[in-house]
Amino acid sequence: MFNDHSTSLSLEEERFLDAAEYGNIPVIRKMLEECPSLNVNCVDYMGQNALQLAVANEHLEITELLLKKENLARVGDALLLAISKGYVRIVEAILNHPAFAEGKRLALSPSQSELQHDDFYAYDEDGTRFSHDVTPIILAAHCHEYEIVHTLLRKGARIDRPHDYFCKCSECNQKQKHDSFSHSRSRINAYKGLASPAYLSLSSEDPVMTALELSNELAVLANIEKEFKNDYKKLSMQCKDFVVGLLDLCRNTEEVEAILNGDVEMSHNNGERGRPSLSRLKLAIKYEVKKFVAHPNCQQQLLSIWYENLSGLRQQTMAVKFLVVLAVAVGLPFLSMAYWIAPCSMIWSECKEIWSQGPKEYLFELWNMLDFGMLAIFAASFIARFMAFWHASRAQNFVDANMKDLTSPTLEPNIKYYTYARMNWDPSDPQIISEGLYAIAVVLSFSRIAYILPANESFGPLQISLGRTVKDIFKFMVIFIMVFVAFMIGMFNLYSYYLGAKQNEAFTTIEESFKTLFWAIFGLSEVKSVVINYNHKFIENIGYVLYGVYNVTMVIVLLNMLIAMINSSFQEIEDDADVEWKFARAKLWFSYFEEGRTLPVPFNLVPSPKSLLYLLLRIKKLISKPFLCQKKSFQEDAEMNKKIMKRLIKRYVLKAQIDKESDEVNEGELKEIKQDISSLRYELLEEKSQNSEDLAELIRKLGEKLSINSKEEESKR
């Protein structure tokens, strides 16, 4: 079970390993100097050599003595061990070893080092303490050792981002075929290192951007690699917490703006209009980093932008705010005519939003789906009404042109149709279709009012809960439709032969079967729906059983399950109502921060001076081309942004180190003190032994001198 090489240890090697383990520096120094035949790579019963034992017990002096020996084995394993225990000084001592002179070893894991056929890692039948794909920088990031990560980064170590999950390169195919589980674990270990706050804060020039994008990538992987879903979700949340932690350390508006804006170039592009870009905040909303968006520092910044021209309105009472809103609503037509600035219609605005966001991002937002559906239904309604008017106009023109005598006209059927009363119209008449579509569109247009509810603290959480309920209903509909269709087809097959032979028409056609089962959910169907006029009791009893099972399944089981799902979703929102509401409010505010679509329909149908003004400003910018000034200003802002980020990262690292020190277990500190005392004891014993030898030598010399003196005195006598 353990290493067999320990059985062949000599007494000298056993003493050497014991001295390395317990920190007996004098014995180690003496044996290294006086025993040239000593095997410094000998191992104990657990397969650990002297270097590993010294590192495990934090004996820095012994480690330094051993590292001076040539052909020392398992230096890489000792480095990983020192990193895992957080022994910074030992890590620095090992990194000064000639094996790390070129820096190539830092990028190799134990499995990659095995290909070099050396004993740099203990990659043999005993295995190692760590996964074979872990490099020093990955392990340091896993252990959140900020100082060690910084040291390794200065030496050029980096964590390579794993390939895409669906990558078909030769390397990925080979690893997948050889050991798919090991390949997946290596990807997780790499992502654990990349998502570590220590690595994020020290390796990236823009840690906020890196953390946000990595959190989204990990969230996507959680839905792809279902086997490791919890691991990826945990790492995604770790990245989000890192960004929130940085925002929490801001002490002034300048630092908050540096985190929320991030992209200096984009801020310059929007600077002419006097409003920050908030590019990082937009990204956080896109990736649903709710704690970041709902953070007080972020909300305060958004609030200042929201009330930038009406700062006094926030301190007014609800009555004053209501009067202001009422005045704006009443005077909106006049204000719109006076402030004629919107360059596009509502339909064009939606098309522009699809172009700017992309179809995928546009469809991801449910409100956009509602807008698109509402506009599509309105457009279809107007087209149908126009077609009805056009056909009626053609019929009227035909009558005016060809019918001179109207006393006894003989009209063609397609012309005579337009003289019929409404009750005689075809079901597919364009006018009827137009009116039906218009009614649906009106309902959807009024439901659009719910979009502004997140602005209110009381109605916002209710609107969010309603949206989550709709999602639960869609999930529930999968099981519901499956059960409903099964019983609908079954009951139709049972009663389709008894058309006209039942007390009602239930289940005799597909349509009747659908109606009966649907209204049975609400208790509006009768039991006599399964009764047959003939004496076919077998069919009737089966109908009773199936109808009863349907009611139990749908009404008692599935509907109660839906209620439980809705209750669970509502409770989730209620437990974190403040964060959910502030996140939804921020999304609402952002829709009004964007340029364009300032005026309502129909005032935004007419092209405006605003669009012409922006066109002239762009032409002026192209003609003047003040590159030098902009470049200088851009560089100054970029340098300032870097300084602010370095300042925040420094605070974050110091806070993390303080928290780690306060969380350390006292047992570890006592163990360290015990090891120091043990080393001191061996040094004192060595010093005492040396002093005893010196004293014995002095006594001997003194005795010899006294004996010589006595002999001289006797000879004189």
Side-chain angles (χ1 to χ4, degrees):
M1 179 176 179
F2 298 108
N3 199 304
D4 295 333
H5 298 294
S6 62
T7 58
S8 60
L9 288 176
S10 63
L11 293 176
E12 185 181 60
E13 291 174 342
E14 289 183 359
R15 185 186 177 201
F16 177 70
L17 292 175
D18 289 339
E21 182 177 2
Y22 294 108
N24 195 341
I25 301 173
V27 172
I28 292 292
R29 184 183 292 112
K30 184 177 180 180
M31 294 185 73
L32 290 176
E33 293 175 353
E34 300 178 359
C35 302
S37 62
L38 177 66
N39 180 17
V40 295
N41 293 323
C42 60
V43 296
D44 63 0
Y45 75 101
M46 288 293 292
Q48 301 177 106
N49 64 1
L51 180 61
Q52 291 173 281
L53 292 172
V55 170
N57 292 280
E58 200 179 359
H59 299 315
L60 176 61
E61 295 84 355
I62 295 178
T63 303
E64 291 175 341
L65 290 173
L66 293 172
L67 288 171
K68 295 177 182 179
K69 298 294 291 184
E70 296 181 358
N71 299 323
L72 186 64
R74 306 189 182 188
V75 179
D77 211 26
L79 176 61
L80 294 179
L81 183 59
I83 291 173
S84 66
K85 291 183 174 292
Y87 300 153
V88 180
R89 295 176 63 189
I90 294 180
V91 170
E92 292 175 348
I94 296 175
L95 289 176
N96 291 327
H97 190 268
F100 298 103
E102 298 181 0
K104 295 180 180 179
R105 290 283 191 179
L106 291 176
L108 298 179
S109 62
S111 60
Q112 294 170 327
S113 181
E114 185 198 23
L115 301 177
Q116 300 186 2
H117 304 289
D118 58 12
D119 51 3
F120 191 74
Y121 287 100
Y123 193 71
D124 50 18
E125 67 274 11
D126 299 324
T128 62
R129 287 184 175 90
F130 314 103
S131 178
H132 300 154
D133 54 80
V134 170
T135 61
I137 184 69
I138 291 178
L139 182 60
H142 286 187
C143 299
H144 306 292
E145 296 292 343
Y146 288 83
E147 192 169 350
I148 296 176
V149 170
H150 179 65
T151 302
L152 292 171
L153 288 172
R154 283 195 294 111
K155 291 199 173 278
R158 295 292 185 273
I159 300 177
D160 295 330
R161 187 178 290 269
H163 292 192
D164 185 77
Y165 179 76
F166 300 104
C167 178
K168 297 300 181 182
C169 68
S170 58
E171 181 184 357
C172 292
N173 286 334
Q174 183 180 359
K175 291 180 178 179
Q176 190 73 21
K177 291 178 181 178
H178 180 260
D179 190 346
S180 59
F181 176 75
S182 178
H183 178 55
S184 297
R185 292 305 309 179
S186 66
R187 288 172 53 83
I188 291 179
N189 285 330
Y191 276 118
K192 280 183 180 179
L194 291 169
S196 169
Y199 190 80
L200 284 172
S201 56
L202 298 174
S203 65
S204 176
E205 294 184 357
D206 191 352
V208 176
M209 179 71 172
T210 304
L212 289 174
E213 291 183 342
L214 184 59
S215 69
N216 180 66
E217 182 179 350
L218 292 167
V220 172
L221 285 172
N223 294 324
I224 295 175
E225 295 191 64
K226 301 290 186 180
E227 306 82 9
F228 306 101
K229 183 175 183 178
N230 292 333
D231 294 331
Y232 283 119
K233 277 191 171 183
K234 184 178 178 181
L235 293 177
S236 178
M237 187 58 63
Q238 184 173 287
C239 293
K240 295 176 181 178
D241 292 339
F242 168 75
V243 180
V244 175
L246 275 181
L247 186 61
D248 195 45
L249 294 175
C250 294
R251 296 175 181 172
N252 53 50
T253 304
E254 186 182 36
E255 294 176 351
V256 175
E257 289 178 348
I259 289 182
L260 299 184
N261 295 330
D263 196 338
V264 179
E265 184 176 1
M266 187 177 294
S267 300
H268 268 263
N269 293 336
N270 292 346
E272 295 180 359
R273 300 175 190 178
R275 182 170 293 167
S277 64
L278 302 177
S279 58
R280 297 294 174 267
L281 184 56
K282 291 178 182 177
L283 203 62
I285 292 177
K286 177 182 177 181
Y287 296 153
E288 295 191 350
V289 189
K290 296 182 179 180
K291 290 184 179 179
F292 179 82
V293 178
H295 195 279
N297 295 344
C298 179
Q299 289 290 312
Q300 193 273 339
Q301 188 73 10
L302 289 175
L303 203 64
S304 63
I305 298 175
W306 182 253
Y307 286 103
E308 61 182 348
N309 294 324
L310 293 171
S311 57
L313 184 62
R314 186 183 176 189
Q315 287 78 29
Q316 300 298 327
T317 62
M318 286 299 298
V320 174
K321 292 180 181 179
F322 177 77
L323 291 175
V324 171
V325 173
L326 183 62
V328 172
V330 172
L332 186 59
F334 307 101
L335 293 174
S336 300
M337 294 177 66
Y339 192 70
W340 205 291
I341 64 171
C344 53
S345 67
M346 186 174 182
I347 295 178
W348 174 249
S349 298
E350 291 299 318
C351 296
K352 184 179 178 182
E353 191 171 353
I354 294 175
W355 174 262
S356 60
Q357 294 183 359
K360 184 178 180 181
E361 295 297 330
Y362 178 84
L363 295 176
F364 184 76
E365 184 63 43
L366 294 179
W367 289 115
N368 291 334
M369 293 287 291
L370 179 62
D371 287 343
F372 189 84
M374 177 185 67
L375 293 173
I377 295 174
F378 267 125
S381 174
F382 294 150
I383 291 173
R385 184 160 299 188
F386 174 77
M387 292 299 296
F389 175 77
W390 183 61
H391 285 297
S393 299
R394 285 185 61 189
Q396 184 65 45
N397 292 336
F398 179 82
V399 171
D400 294 340
N402 300 302
M403 299 296 176
K404 303 300 183 182
D405 186 11
L406 298 178
T407 55
S408 58
T410 56
L411 300 176
E412 297 180 5
N414 59 339
I415 303 298
K416 189 176 182 180
Y417 172 79
Y418 294 98
T419 64
Y420 293 164
R422 186 183 185 90
M423 65 184 66
N424 296 322
W425 289 358
D426 291 338
S428 59
D429 188 274
Q431 181 68 21
I432 295 177
I433 294 175
S434 172
E435 293 169 356
L437 293 176
Y438 189 79
I440 297 174
V442 168
V443 173
L444 292 178
S445 64
F446 273 91
S447 66
R448 194 65 172 79
I449 298 175
Y451 178 73
I452 63 173
L453 290 181
N456 185 271
E457 187 175 2
S458 300
F459 296 111
L462 294 178
Q463 187 266 344
I464 298 169
S465 300
L466 179 62
R468 189 73 63 86
T469 300
V470 173
K471 294 180 180 178
D472 290 338
I473 292 175
F474 278 116
K475 295 178 183 177
F476 169 79
M477 288 300 292
V478 176
I479 301 176
F480 173 82
I481 292 175
M482 181 179 66
V483 176
F484 186 86
V485 171
F487 279 95
M488 182 181 71
I489 300 298
M491 296 298 283
F492 167 71
N493 289 334
L494 189 66
Y495 288 101
S496 60
Y497 304 103
Y498 295 94
L499 182 63
K502 292 174 78 272
Q503 296 185 10
N504 54 33
E505 300 298 323
F507 306 122
T508 55
T509 63
I510 290 290
E511 181 182 358
E512 291 296 330
S513 182
F514 174 85
K515 292 179 180 178
T516 305
L517 293 179
F518 179 79
W519 293 112
I521 300 174
F522 307 100
L524 300 178
S525 294
E526 300 177 349
V527 180
K528 66 179 183 179
S529 299
V530 299
V531 177
I532 304 174
N533 295 333
Y534 302 121
N535 190 24
H536 291 180
K537 290 297 182 181
F538 181 74
I539 297 296
E540 191 173 301
N541 291 335
I542 291 178
Y544 274 115
V545 171
L546 290 178
Y547 196 50
V549 171
Y550 169 80
N551 281 277
V552 171
T553 304
M554 298 296 290
V555 178
I556 299 178
V557 179
L558 292 182
L559 285 183
N560 281 283
M561 184 179 73
L562 176 61
I563 294 171
M565 290 172 62
I566 294 174
N567 183 60
S568 176
S569 298
F570 179 80
Q571 193 61 42
E572 288 179 5
I573 300 297
E574 192 66 24
D575 292 341
D576 210 6
D578 187 66
V579 173
E580 294 285 349
W581 167 62
K582 288 179 178 177
F583 179 76
R585 186 180 66 172
K587 291 177 66 177
L588 174 65
W589 284 351
F590 255 101
S591 65
Y592 290 97
F593 289 166
E594 297 175 354
E595 292 291 335
R597 296 178 292 172
T598 310
L599 295 181
V601 178
F603 299 100
N604 57 359
L605 290 171
V606 181
S608 63
K610 178 182 178 181
S611 58
L612 298 177
L613 177 62
Y614 285 167
L615 180 62
L616 293 175
L617 288 176
R618 289 181 180 178
I619 295 174
K620 179 182 177 182
K621 184 178 179 181
L622 291 174
I623 295 175
S624 59
K625 292 185 178 181
F627 289 114
L628 296 176
C629 297
Q630 287 187 0
K631 185 176 181 181
K632 184 177 179 181
S633 176
F634 175 80
Q635 290 178 346
E636 291 177 355
D637 290 348
E639 290 296 327
M640 179 60 67
N641 190 62
K642 287 182 179 179
K643 289 181 180 179
I644 294 173
M645 291 307 301
K646 287 181 179 179
R647 189 192 314 159
L648 291 172
I649 291 298
K650 188 176 180 180
R651 288 182 202 159
Y652 186 89
V653 172
L654 290 174
K655 182 178 181 298
Q657 290 177 340
I658 293 172
D659 293 341
K660 185 177 181 180
E661 290 174 359
S662 62
D663 292 339
E664 285 182 350
V665 184
N666 292 331
E667 183 180 353
E669 297 177 358
L670 293 175
K671 183 179 179 181
E672 183 179 350
I673 295 173
K674 182 179 178 181
Q675 291 168 352
D676 292 340
I677 294 174
S678 177
S679 299
L680 179 61
R681 180 170 67 88
Y682 285 116
E683 291 179 3
L684 292 176
L685 288 174
E686 180 67 19
E687 186 177 354
K688 180 182 178 182
S689 176
Q690 185 67 32
N691 292 336
S692 299
E693 292 177 359
D694 293 342
L695 181 60
E697 182 67 20
L698 289 174
I699 294 173
R700 185 182 61 80
K701 290 181 179 180
L702 182 60
E704 291 177 354
K705 191 172 183 179
L706 290 174
S707 62
I708 293 172
N709 291 336
S710 61
K711 289 179 181 179
E712 290 178 353
E713 290 179 357
E714 290 178 356
S715 63
K716 288 179 181 179
R717 291 177 182 175

